[in-house]
Amino acid sequence: MIFPEEINVRDVTLRDGLQNENYHLSTENKLRWLDRIINAGFSCIEVTSFVHPKWVPALRDADELARQLPMLEGVEYEALIPNQKGLERFMNTGIGTAKFFLSASNAHNKANLNKTTDESLNAVGDLIQQARKDKRKIVGGIATAFTCPYSGNVPYSEVERIAERLIDSGVDELGLGDTIGTAAPKRVYEYCSKLADKFPDALISLHLHDTYGYGLTNVLAGMQAGVRLYDVAQAGLGGCPYAPGSPGNIKASQVLEFLERQDINFEIKLDDVKTFDREFPEVLYKKQNKVQS
Amino acid sequence: MIFPEEINVRDVTLRDGLQNENYHLSTENKLRWLDRIINAGFSCIEVTSFVHPKWVPALRDADELARQLPMLEGVEYEALIPNQKGLERFMNTGIGTAKFFLSASNAHNKANLNKTTDESLNAVGDLIQQARKDKRKIVGGIATAFTCPYSGNVPYSEVERIAERLIDSGVDELGLGDTIGTAAPKRVYEYCSKLADKFPDALISLHLHDTYGYGLTNVLAGMQAGVRLYDVAQAGLGGCPYAPGSPGNIKASQVLEFLERQDINFEIKLDDVKTFDREFPEVLYKKQNKVQS
């Protein structure tokens, strides 16, 4: 087995950690948390999505949050962009990285984006061209890259086909998502290894959920396949809408402690991160008003 | 990575699942559960420990339970034996497999057995000789084989030294225990691989706890090192006395579902096992009296 010297993590708390929550952090509170996350040592942070506020009320302050982001040397921000309107909003900000995405599963893509996978591939290609002209860094995200809540296992061939189109469009990173947390290490290892073989120059990252407790096993499988960048959320926020009450994104403190116990380095103060496990949910659930839906 | 065709599991619910609990299942209830566990397809079952009742009140009915065990074709029972008195009690039963054990960590061995590791090695050697004369199958268990609550990481050299002594004594199986659940895959893989290289004919099994959520990651690491037999408990019973409220043994249903999702075969009805997750704790906590201590 391979245990690399260093692993990088990206904090996605303020985006994926919040987007399924019925609670809304104020922009001021998000910025306060962002400050603590940066001080703990995270240098790559996904802060929001330029989605229509109607769909994700928790992120309705994307434009305002972007305006107030502290621009710091060595800190990279990233935002999700679902469509042309989102790209226009993003272009008005100083956020350096744009993440465009679609689902490898046609059924999930239709449910989530109301498009076929091929329609989304074309749309994403157009968005990427525009963002590249503006010298933004670009992540191409493939959701349901392993399994889909509607259609089950996603064939590798489909993931490779989409990956190839994204790489041909010039993405700087390929992000594979186990969107619902049902992928197990065998498939994660297989798909990541094959993609790494097929596209040896691509930077591949993993976005994992811990819905069924497979989060760390998939980190381990990804490591064996050469993946060195993982999305994490403070306190494991971001439960899955298909499995109410289940754990969400892989938890920052648990992933880092898991790495530490295996002598794998990271640039983050683990003790700080452990305090977030308690404090973040407290702020989220106790001091904020529930969004009226 | 290696994903074998088949993995075997041993049920340890009635021994390790119960021994740290403050609740006591009656012999009648244990036999009722044993029946369900057997009907679900488990063929290798650790039923009790012949420890002094004062130390483990939940297992004080070891002799009575042993007398009433249904002797069935294809079902192997196993019991723990801590000392000479325990061996004599065991010899009066029809249980086929005797598990003798010590800790690789001297500090843990002293705390647990009030002996140095070397004293325990000699004592276990004597017990094994006696059990072999009686044609019993023998498991040599090494507790704290990776990490120790008192002394931290356990050196591999010490584990190998103990393993060699046990193998020389003629054990049929070498059981490595992550007794407190703090071992991470890197160490589990390293130690299991080295032991498998050093003792290619030895049957190695793993006894894992999920205290910090590393259970499945260590199953995965063990699989890579060639380990094909794992102890599991229904409902993940058997919390660690060093981490109150934490998960216990790796949970039978979670391990089996994890295997199933990776096309790894096993001889057990997973649907039955899933019902135990709810029903076993119900019986344990609601219908039984708390042991008076």
Side-chain angles (χ1 to χ4, degrees), chain A residues 7-61:
Chain A
I7 286 284
N8 296 311
V9 294
R10 168 170 36 221
D11 183 280
V12 299
T13 316
L14 298 177
R15 200 280 300 173
D16 200 29
L18 298 182
Q19 77 171 24
N20 288 322
E21 298 290 337
N22 274 326
Y23 299 84
H24 188 202
L25 272 188
S26 65
T27 308
E28 188 191 349
N29 262 330
K30 286 184 186 177
L31 289 164
R32 201 173 289 152
W33 272 103
L34 180 63
D35 199 44
R36 295 190 65 181
I37 289 167
I38 292 169
N39 282 331
F42 290 89
S43 58
C44 186
I45 304 168
E46 192 174 288
V47 285
T48 194
S49 172
F50 290 98
V51 65
H52 194 289
K54 188 172 81 179
W55 302 119
V56 187
L59 306 184
R60 62 187 169 191
D61 65 341

Side-chain angles (χ1 to χ4, degrees), chain A residues 145-162:
Chain A
F146 308 101
T147 59
C148 165
Y150 309 114
S151 57
N153 292 334
V154 173
Y156 171 73
S157 58
E158 189 60 8
V159 180
E160 186 185 291
R161 185 177 76 90
I162 295 170

Side-chain angles (χ1 to χ4, degrees), chain B residues 92-104:
Chain B
N92 286 324
T93 75
I95 296 177
T97 304
K99 181 172 183 176
F100 303 100
F101 60 95
L102 71 160
S103 297

Side-chain angles (χ1 to χ4, degrees), chain A residues 32 102 208 218:
Chain A
R32 201 173 289 152
L102 72 161
L208 301 167
N218 287 330

Side-chain angles (χ1 to χ4, degrees), chain A residues 88-212:
Chain A
E88 286 159 17
R89 291 166 66 196
F90 171 79
M91 290 298 206
N92 284 325
T93 76
I95 295 175
T97 304
K99 181 172 184 178
F100 302 98
F101 59 96
L102 72 161
S103 298
S105 151
N106 201 47
H108 188 265
N109 205 66
K110 277 186 173 165
N112 199 33
L113 300 170
N114 200 25
K115 286 190 172 77
T116 65
T117 296
D118 281 317
E119 287 167 347
S120 274
L121 259 178
N122 290 332
V124 163
D126 284 348
L127 298 172
I128 289 176
Q129 294 316 316
Q130 297 173 60
R132 284 184 70 190
K133 281 188 200 146
D134 205 45
K135 311 281 184 206
R136 309 286 180 135
K137 195 169 154 186
I138 293 160
V139 180
I142 307 181
T144 61
F146 308 101
T147 59
C148 165
Y150 309 114
S151 57
N153 292 334
V154 173
Y156 171 73
S157 58
E158 189 60 8
V159 180
E160 186 185 291
R161 185 177 76 90
I162 295 170
E164 186 153 34
R165 284 279 298 270
L166 291 172
I167 287 167
D168 287 347
S169 308
V171 297
D172 298 286
E173 177 190 327
L174 194 62
L176 304 176
D178 176 22
T179 309
I180 53 167
T182 48
K186 186 180 185 182
R187 189 174 303 273
V188 170
Y189 174 72
E190 181 197 337
Y191 287 20
C192 291
S193 296
K194 284 183 175 169
L195 288 171
D197 281 348
K198 175 88 182 170
F199 309 109
D201 297 329
L203 170 63
I204 298 176
S205 66
L206 275 168
H207 177 93
L208 301 167
H209 281 252
D210 201 29
T211 321
Y212 298 96

Side-chain angles (χ1 to χ4, degrees), chain A residues 230-287:
Chain A
Y230 296 84
D231 289 355
V232 298
Q234 305 304 328
L237 285 171
C240 176
Y242 303 101
S246 66
N249 289 273
I250 51 174
K251 193 199 283 191
S253 66
Q254 197 187 23
V255 171
L256 295 173
E257 195 162 9
F258 182 68
L259 299 178
E260 187 179 74
R261 281 186 195 267
Q262 299 179 97
D263 310 313
I264 298 169
N265 298 313
F266 46 83
E267 303 271 331
I268 291 160
K269 288 175 263 181
L270 176 54
D271 284 345
D272 286 12
V273 177
K274 285 181 179 174
T275 68
F276 301 163
D277 285 347
R278 181 174 42 82
E279 294 174 11
F280 204 111
E282 268 178 20
V283 170
L284 192 58
Y285 299 125
K286 291 187 185 155
K287 297 184 187 158

Side-chain angles (χ1 to χ4, degrees), chain B residues 6 65 87 94 123 147 153-154 159 176 240 251 257 276 288:
Chain B
E6 187 162 0
L65 180 70
L87 180 64
T147 60
N153 292 334
V154 173
V159 180
L176 303 176
C240 176
K251 193 198 282 188
E257 192 162 9
F276 299 165
Q288 294 291 314

Side-chain angles (χ1 to χ4, degrees), chain A residues 1 3 182 184-186 189 212-214 216-217 220-221 224 254 257-258 261-263, chain B residues 1 3 182 184-186 189 212-214 216-217 220-221 224 254 257-258 261-263:
Chain A
M1 294 184 86
F3 296 91
T182 48
K186 186 180 185 182
Y189 174 72
Y212 298 96
Y214 299 164
L216 293 181
T217 68
L220 195 55
Q224 307 313 305
Q254 197 187 23
E257 195 162 9
F258 182 68
R261 281 186 195 267
Q262 299 179 97
D263 310 313
Chain B
M1 295 185 84
F3 296 91
T182 48
K186 187 181 184 180
Y189 174 72
Y212 299 97
Y214 299 164
L216 293 182
T217 68
L220 195 56
Q224 307 314 304
Q254 198 188 21
E257 192 162 9
F258 182 67
R261 281 184 195 269
Q262 299 179 97
D263 309 314

